[in-house]
Amino acid sequence: MILYEVTLQVEASLADQVETHMRLEHIPAIFATRCFQQIHFDRASPARFRTRYFAQSQADLDRYLQHHAPGLRAQFQARFASGVRLTRETWLTVQSWT
């Protein structure tokens, strides 16, 4: 399993707008690409969020990054041109316990 993680640090005045946009528009659009099996959206504080995207394979993540990410990122950037700082990381699951 490949985990693609995006962390958002948001200016407090934008936090509610960003959370609403992520939950109702951005994440559903990403899920609709069918590149990810699961997506988790987490909040650490009122202005800090994390989205974890679970891909079955590196090929699925690569397909998302090549064909879908540029347009979705541009839409997000157009809506929130400032006030949101993002970090992106890719993780490979070594082992999991359930």
Side-chain angles (χ1 to χ4, degrees):
M1 182 80 56
I2 304 294
L3 173 62
Y4 179 62
E5 184 175 288
V6 180
T7 303
L8 299 87
Q9 184 64 48
V10 181
E11 288 182 6
S13 63
L14 296 174
D16 288 342
Q17 292 174 45
V18 169
E19 180 177 350
T20 298
H21 176 72
M22 293 294 290
R23 294 176 67 198
L24 300 181
E25 297 176 46
H26 191 70
I27 294 170
I30 293 171
F31 196 61
T33 68
R34 303 180 56 99
C35 295
F36 302 103
Q37 292 186 325
Q38 294 180 47
I39 300 175
H40 297 196
F41 184 60
D42 307 308
R43 180 178 46 236
S45 70
R48 184 169 166 80
F49 303 96
R50 172 180 70 178
T51 310
R52 295 177 294 148
Y53 304 90
F54 296 85
Q56 183 64 37
S57 67
Q58 184 65 49
D60 288 334
L61 177 58
D62 291 344
R63 182 168 42 91
Y64 168 75
L65 293 172
Q66 182 177 12
H67 298 289
H68 304 286
L72 290 163
R73 289 176 182 176
Q75 289 173 356
F76 185 89
Q77 181 66 29
R79 177 103 182 239
F80 300 102
S82 63
V84 180
R85 191 174 67 237
L86 301 167
T87 58
R88 296 178 177 96
E89 294 183 287
T90 302
W91 298 78
L92 173 64
T93 301
V94 176
Q95 185 174 352
S96 62
W97 293 259
T98 57

